[in-house]
Amino acid sequence: MDPDEDLLVRAVSEPAAFEPLVDRHSVALHGYLVRRAPTAADDLLSEVWLQAYATRHTYDAARGPARGWLFGVARNVLARHWQTVSRATDASQAASEIPEGDPWRAVDQRLDAAAMGPELRDGLARLPEPERELLLLVAWEQLTPTEAAAVVGIPAGTARSRLHRARTRLRVALTGTTLTNLTGDFA
Amino acid sequence: MTHEEQDTHVLDFPGATALKNAGRTEPPDPAVLAAARALLRQAMAADTEHAVPATPATAIVVTPRLGRRRLLACVAAVAAVAAGVAVLPVVGVGSEPPASVSAADLFNSMADRAASGTQRNAPYWKTTVKTWAEGDRTHTDEYYLSRNALVIKTQNGRTVTKKGPRGGTSWSVGNRQVSWDNLDKLPTRPDALRRLLSAGAQGASAAEQAVRQSGELLTDSPASPRLRAALYRVLADTPGAEVTERVKDGAGRIGTEISWKWSKNFAHSPHDPNWIVRPSDGQLLEIYHVRDDDADHVTERDTYLYAGPADSVR
């Protein structure tokens, strides 16, 4: 059994078994949060661990690896954060601005800060959000497609399809290749 | 398909490497991890009959004692003049467990950071300090401490030079003075260093002395990275420290506040001081003091805008 999985399962009856997970995954989870909500990441990390601890009994190894489950908890915490921020955002904000509560905002700012080429930024911006999210989970969180699928709660096959589609769309955007390369449900 | 193969496959498009690189982040501040752990332990403790040692999530604090002026009056060494502080109050040595888990973690993390620093020998140890005291105006001055003198460049353009004591600038370590050049000869094993720092004192007084002298060495001496790391480890093993996260100093910088809860007053530490440190690099940002009868009433702030080696006075 995967050590993380073992800890999560044991933690249901032995709470102390949960704590080693904090040491093992905090850096990765904080990275995930800081890339998407930089100013709130420190506080959100605590929320993630509290939420994960409170819902540890819902972990089902059959539905994916423990790491993916933890990132899924972080994703839910982030979603609530964005909802809160959206509600608090001034309704008079200009329509052209990316709203504070839009997950893409921090990501795009990060890409901009990294001096990433406008073509790639534009290509990423044009990806459907579910595809972009999966792509960034693989590129930034170094999750496998199967783990990324567990994070967003979809079958692994669906995640692989979406990732394939995202990759193809980016190739099209960045090299000028036509969409005839797309196959199956990717077209 | 391995993870690496999957990753390679998925990220096979122009610019993929740049995208991956754009995701790089710094590791979280140790205080952030300490807070998460503390909150989790509280939740775990609530789940169990026998409580897991819990640390208040929002409370990690250290309390220094002497203000700049007071230190000037008390300490003969030129070093202390520039330091303007670093006196930590401590309580209950012997009867209490070592520093709370969070405080110990924090100090140990700072020790790790300090140990990775690079040694730089320079003729001066410079501190730029923004000082505010109740009833007085705020002023920012620069202190250049050398082996045999202290040069103060005041905000209003004056330069004051004070000759050091006979034998040169030195720092209190236990019941003796250690010169600039002998700092490197101090032991860097925490237990040995603690014995030296505590020499000549007993019980709670020994702990207070060790903490106070550690603070002086950390703020106002050209201590090597190894010595700084050892000093932080001494602090990590000293009881009574509390920590409060995400506190702003007088310059608006966010740091972690550390206070020591002393069971009694000490001659050298008549007031409980509060330190604000930056765990990411182990820098002391500020020392402030409050009224004995009102912890919310700040009476003096010394905000360290810079502390480090300098090649010349300018």
Side-chain angles (χ1 to χ4, degrees):
Chain A
M1 183 183 280
D2 169 68
D4 292 341
E5 185 182 321
D6 179 48
L7 289 170
L8 263 179
V9 171
R10 280 174 43 210
V12 174
S13 55
E14 301 171 42
F18 189 87
E19 194 168 349
L21 293 167
V22 178
D23 295 325
R24 296 161 75 130
H25 295 286
S26 279
V27 171
L29 288 170
H30 186 266
Y32 171 76
L33 297 166
V34 85
R35 284 185 273 272
R36 291 158 178 84
T39 58
D42 290 355
D43 294 333
L44 293 178
L45 181 66
S46 292
E47 278 188 54
V48 169
W49 284 118
L50 288 176
Q51 187 67 23
Y53 177 74
T55 59
R56 63 194 185 282
H57 62 282
T58 66
Y59 170 66
D60 179 359
R63 295 176 62 185
R67 198 158 74 113
W69 182 80
L70 286 171
F71 274 92
V73 173
R75 181 177 183 259
N76 291 337
V77 169
L78 257 184
R80 281 198 300 277
H81 165 72
W82 282 318
Q83 283 172 3
T84 305
V85 172
S86 292
R87 282 195 295 270
T89 302
D90 188 345
S92 66
Q93 191 174 27
S96 59
E97 292 180 20
I98 301 173
E100 285 283 353
D102 187 331
W104 174 242
R105 180 188 178 92
V107 172
D108 189 50
Q109 286 175 343
R110 170 168 287 273
L111 298 176
D112 188 26
M116 185 157 288
E119 296 85 2
L120 184 53
R121 280 178 64 199
D122 190 53
L124 286 166
R126 288 174 183 275
L127 287 180
E129 210 284 327
E131 293 177 17
R132 189 171 62 216
E133 181 180 21
L134 284 168
L135 186 71
L136 293 179
L137 285 170
V138 174
W140 284 356
E141 312 329 317
Q142 298 178 41
L143 299 182
T144 66
T146 302
E147 289 172 329
V151 173
V152 299
I154 59 175
T158 305
R160 278 193 289 272
S161 295
R162 287 181 182 173
L163 284 164
H164 180 81
R165 179 156 41 186
R167 184 193 65 179
T168 306
R169 285 185 198 277
L170 284 173
R171 280 181 173 172
V172 169
L174 295 165
T175 66
T177 309
T178 67
L179 286 173
T180 54
N181 287 342
L182 298 177
T183 58
D185 69 337
F186 308 140
Chain B
M1 184 180 283
T2 65
H3 166 68
E4 194 169 322
E5 287 167 339
Q6 289 183 11
D7 183 50
T8 303
H9 177 69
V10 170
L11 300 178
D12 182 16
F13 57 86
T17 301
L19 175 62
K20 288 178 74 171
N21 291 341
R24 289 179 180 161
T25 59
E26 292 294 314
D29 190 313
V32 172
L33 300 184
R37 250 185 236 110
L39 279 171
L40 179 63
R41 284 175 182 162
Q42 285 181 327
M44 289 162 62
D47 267 3
T48 53
E49 291 285 329
H50 49 287
V52 173
T55 306
T58 56
I60 304 181
V61 187
V62 178
T63 314
R65 255 178 200 208
L66 288 185
R68 172 173 303 276
R69 277 169 240 138
R70 183 172 295 277
L71 198 67
L72 276 166
C74 294
V75 184
V78 171
V81 179
V85 203
V87 189
L88 300 178
V90 178
V91 183
V93 178
S95 61
E96 294 187 14
S100 67
V101 173
S102 292
D105 286 353
L106 176 68
F107 281 129
N108 280 321
S109 297
M110 290 171 72
D112 292 340
R113 299 292 171 103
S116 64
T118 52
Q119 172 109 37
R120 189 184 153 219
N121 295 318
Y124 297 96
W125 182 257
K126 176 186 174 184
T127 50
T128 303
V129 186
K130 179 181 178 183
T131 303
W132 171 86
E134 194 170 35
D136 199 357
R137 64 179 177 80
T138 299
H139 56 98
T140 301
D141 307 306
E142 295 177 340
Y143 298 81
Y144 291 83
L145 182 67
S146 70
R147 284 172 170 77
N148 50 25
L150 172 68
V151 179
I152 306 171
K153 296 187 74 174
T154 67
Q155 180 175 276
N156 60 13
R158 285 197 313 140
T159 298
V160 180
T161 300
K162 295 176 182 287
K163 284 186 66 174
R166 188 177 301 173
T169 299
S170 62
W171 290 265
S172 296
V173 176
N175 51 5
R176 62 183 178 139
Q177 293 294 118
V178 173
S179 69
W180 183 298
D181 291 320
N182 282 335
L183 285 174
D184 280 342
K185 296 176 184 171
L186 287 173
T188 51
R189 277 184 38 224
D191 55 345
L193 184 57
R194 174 184 288 284
R195 277 197 296 277
L196 273 185
L197 290 163
S198 307
Q202 303 275 325
S205 292
E208 183 274 339
Q209 178 174 291
V211 171
R212 173 166 43 85
Q213 293 180 353
S214 294
E216 290 168 1
L217 289 165
L218 285 166
T219 50
D220 295 290
S221 86
S224 67
R226 290 186 67 201
L227 178 55
R228 287 176 184 279
L231 289 165
Y232 279 128
R233 297 206 193 283
V234 168
L235 294 174
D237 200 33
T238 301
E242 291 185 359
V243 180
T244 303
E245 300 176 65
R246 301 190 66 77
V247 174
K248 276 191 181 178
D249 73 1
R253 299 170 298 184
I254 293 179
T256 299
E257 183 180 73
I258 309 175
S259 32
W260 298 87
K261 301 298 184 188
W262 302 100
S263 56
K264 64 177 189 178
N265 286 331
F266 295 95
H268 297 291
S269 306
H271 305 296
D272 282 350
N274 298 274
W275 279 13
I276 299 176
V277 301
R278 186 165 53 206
S280 58
D281 59 7
Q283 289 293 311
L284 177 75
L285 301 179
E286 181 175 284
I287 296 173
Y288 71 87
H289 306 269
V290 297
R291 280 174 52 153
D292 287 347
D293 57 350
D294 185 358
D296 294 324
H297 189 135
V298 178
T299 58
E300 184 174 352
R301 286 184 186 277
D302 286 318
T303 307
Y304 285 72
L305 304 179
Y306 177 82
D311 293 320
S312 61
V313 176
R314 52 184 172 181

